[in-house]
Amino acid sequence: MGAEVVVSSSEPRLQQLERALDDIGVTPSHKKILALILFGVLFDVFEQNAVGLVGPLLREYWGISAAQIGFLNTLTFGAAAIGRLGSGYIADRFGRRTMLSINLMLFTLGALICALATNYTMLAAGRFIVGFGLGGEISIAVTMLAEFCSSRFRGVAVGAINVAGGGLGNMLAPAFGLAVFAFFPGPDSWRWLFGCLVLPAFFVLLYRRFIPETPRFLLSKGRVEEANRVLNILASGKLGKSAGGGTKRYLSEASNGAHRAEKVRLSEVFVGPLARRTVAVGIAVCMTYGAQISVLTLMPTILMAQGYTLSKSFVFTIVMQSGSLLGAITASYFGFRFPRKRVLTLGAIAACVIGLCFGFLSKSQPLILAFGAAFQFCVLLLNTSIWIYAPELYPTRVRAFGTAFILALGTLAGAAMPLVAGRVFDQYGIGGMFGMMAAMYAVFAIALTFAPETFGKPIDGPDAPGDSDPQAADDASASSSASAPSASHAS
């Protein structure tokens, strides 16, 4: 921290921020923030799988129907979609860090209600609250990591969320449930599972107070000094209040000492230049999320239709899930190396081909496992890449809401598409269902042709993909009219 840093008022502050993040690179502060967020996401996925894990126990001890168990999941995913939209709105107005804390409290409250539920209605209410917190936490986590990192490392950081969630979390969730049931056997073992899901939230709460607000959000609100302090925290590698001494000045003060906050108009994502990318990527995410949840929901039924037992179907499904983890890891790596649209388009074409192969060629156990794992690989590759891509499409002033809206569309599609896929499977069999999956990924690839490329580009300012940021233009205009550039020095 001893080197001299010079910032010039002739350079727009958004460009200063991009330069600062590039110069800072990846420090221990970034790694700690990433670890804390990933820990929370991992247990979010455990919570998403909780109903499936406790379903047989609830049927045995409460006598509820399979339809009632299914409704608990529908309620959770529906609430997650609402939570994403609400969280995006609040995060763009009051801050990402604030909303992350609110989501964590909702998650904890909902899990506690589930653990103490005395009847089905109370349990359903708890699942709704859990869903609201889960949906909001994922979308805000994606936004925060995108804003903490430079353009070079954004893809890896955001992609890691789905490595912990969609990949590792879905694989470890059954093992987590078995471990809880082994330690706490008996008729109330399902309560202990929900209760254990409260504890990680409290553990994360102790550490998340060290996560600062993102410098992009602070700058968008005109809070330049606070943004400078956060950049110093990132550069120092130390989180917490003790690291907040702003030794370096990465961002310049305005010539008149005033900083105008950007106006937040959430309708901006549905009109003008941003509407096209919202529609294009919204259609794409509906296709891939709908396909993923349909296959996850119906795979045991598909395998049993081919003559396999229920237990063997579950084993096959777990083996296929290994493709999910590899797909998420690959997407995180590709996010560092390759353009977003190239990865998404080629991945969609591969999913198309492999889906048809599974539908029409999987006549033996090795082929079922190979095509199933390959299909899951493509699905998680695409879903993770969408998570990387979505926050790069919007300026800071509406990034949380735009990202949340796209992910909420995917959640709704994931809730609705299994009903359609089930009807197609009943009427046309495996070939018909996976033919529909292939068609969905063809639509995915076509829709993406209408969205811009974002790889390696700043996510704010005049060089951002597709649009120019009016605040950056104002900064540039103001600086060009200054009589002489000024500089400030800090050591």
Side-chain angles (χ1 to χ4, degrees), residues 271-283:
V271 296
L274 297 183
R276 180 173 177 175
R277 59 189 64 181
T278 298
V279 172
V281 182
I283 291 172

Side-chain angles (χ1 to χ4, degrees), residues 51-404:
V51 170
L53 296 174
V54 304
L57 295 175
L58 292 176
R59 292 194 68 182
E60 180 179 354
Y61 294 106
W62 274 11
I64 62 177
S65 66
Q68 287 176 301
I69 294 174
F71 179 72
L72 292 175
N73 255 346
T74 301
L75 202 62
T76 304
F77 281 102
I82 299 172
R84 282 177 174 168
L85 292 177
S87 295
Y89 173 82
I90 295 172
D92 279 331
R93 290 189 176 273
F94 303 106
R96 287 62 164 121
R97 186 170 178 264
T98 298
M99 196 63 238
L100 196 67
S101 300
I102 294 173
N103 287 325
L104 187 60
M105 289 186 288
L106 287 172
F107 172 91
T108 305
L109 175 63
L112 186 61
I113 291 174
C114 290
L116 301 176
T118 57
N119 53 50
Y120 180 82
T121 301
M122 186 174 175
L123 182 61
R127 293 306 301 172
F128 183 87
I129 296 173
V130 164
F132 196 97
L134 289 177
E137 179 154 345
I138 294 292
S139 60
I140 300 305
V142 168
T143 302
M144 288 189 76
L145 287 179
E147 293 185 347
F148 273 124
C149 297
S150 65
S151 59
R152 186 180 182 188
F153 298 105
R154 274 199 312 263
V156 175
V158 177
I161 296 178
N162 224 19
V163 174
L168 192 62
N170 282 328
M171 288 186 65
L172 293 181
F176 172 76
L178 291 174
V180 172
F181 294 155
F183 277 105
F184 304 102
D188 288 330
S189 57
W190 63 272
R191 296 185 186 276
W192 284 106
L193 187 139
F194 285 124
C196 289
L197 289 172
V198 173
L199 297 178
F202 282 118
F203 178 80
V204 176
L205 187 62
L206 296 175
Y207 289 89
R208 286 196 175 171
R209 69 185 182 92
F210 294 110
I211 298 179
E213 184 55 82
T214 71
R216 290 188 185 277
F217 174 81
L218 294 171
L219 187 58
S220 75
K221 297 301 181 184
R223 294 152 63 179
V224 177
E225 282 308 304
E226 292 179 62
N228 271 316
R229 283 196 293 271
V230 173
L231 290 171
N232 275 276
I233 290 173
L234 295 177
S236 72
K238 301 176 182 178
L239 296 181
K241 296 179 180 179
S242 60
T247 322
K248 291 186 179 181
R249 178 165 296 282
Y250 292 95
L251 308 174
S252 66
E253 292 286 348
S255 57
N256 60 0
H259 304 284
R260 188 173 69 241
E262 293 184 26
K263 293 182 179 179
V264 177
R265 294 184 295 270
L266 301 184
S267 60
E268 189 178 350
V269 304
F270 307 118
V271 296
L274 297 183
R276 180 173 177 175
R277 59 189 64 181
T278 298
V279 172
V281 182
I283 291 172
V285 80
C286 285
M287 296 300 103
T288 186
Y289 270 53
Q292 179 194 21
I293 302 303
S294 295
V295 172
L296 285 175
T297 302
L298 297 174
M299 185 57 74
T301 303
I302 292 169
L303 294 173
M304 291 184 69
Q306 291 187 314
Y308 297 101
T309 64
L310 179 62
S311 59
K312 184 168 285 190
S313 297
F314 282 146
V315 172
F316 281 13
T317 302
I318 293 173
V319 173
M320 292 177 196
Q321 280 292 343
S322 63
S324 299
L325 179 59
L326 292 176
I329 293 173
T330 302
S332 184
Y333 173 74
F334 282 179
F336 179 75
R337 302 285 299 182
F338 302 110
R340 313 295 186 226
K341 291 179 66 175
R342 184 187 304 173
V343 173
L344 290 166
T345 302
L346 294 178
I349 294 172
C352 237
V353 173
I354 294 170
L356 291 173
C357 289
F358 189 97
F360 295 98
L361 300 179
S362 55
K363 306 300 182 182
S364 64
Q365 287 188 19
L367 288 177
I368 288 173
L369 294 176
F371 288 138
F375 188 78
Q376 291 293 347
F377 172 89
C378 291
V379 168
L380 262 291
L381 171 71
L382 293 170
N383 287 3
T384 305
S385 297
I386 285 284
W387 284 26
I388 296 170
Y389 189 39
E392 297 177 342
L393 295 169
Y394 301 99
T396 299
R397 60 186 176 274
V398 291
R399 179 171 298 120
F401 181 74
T403 302

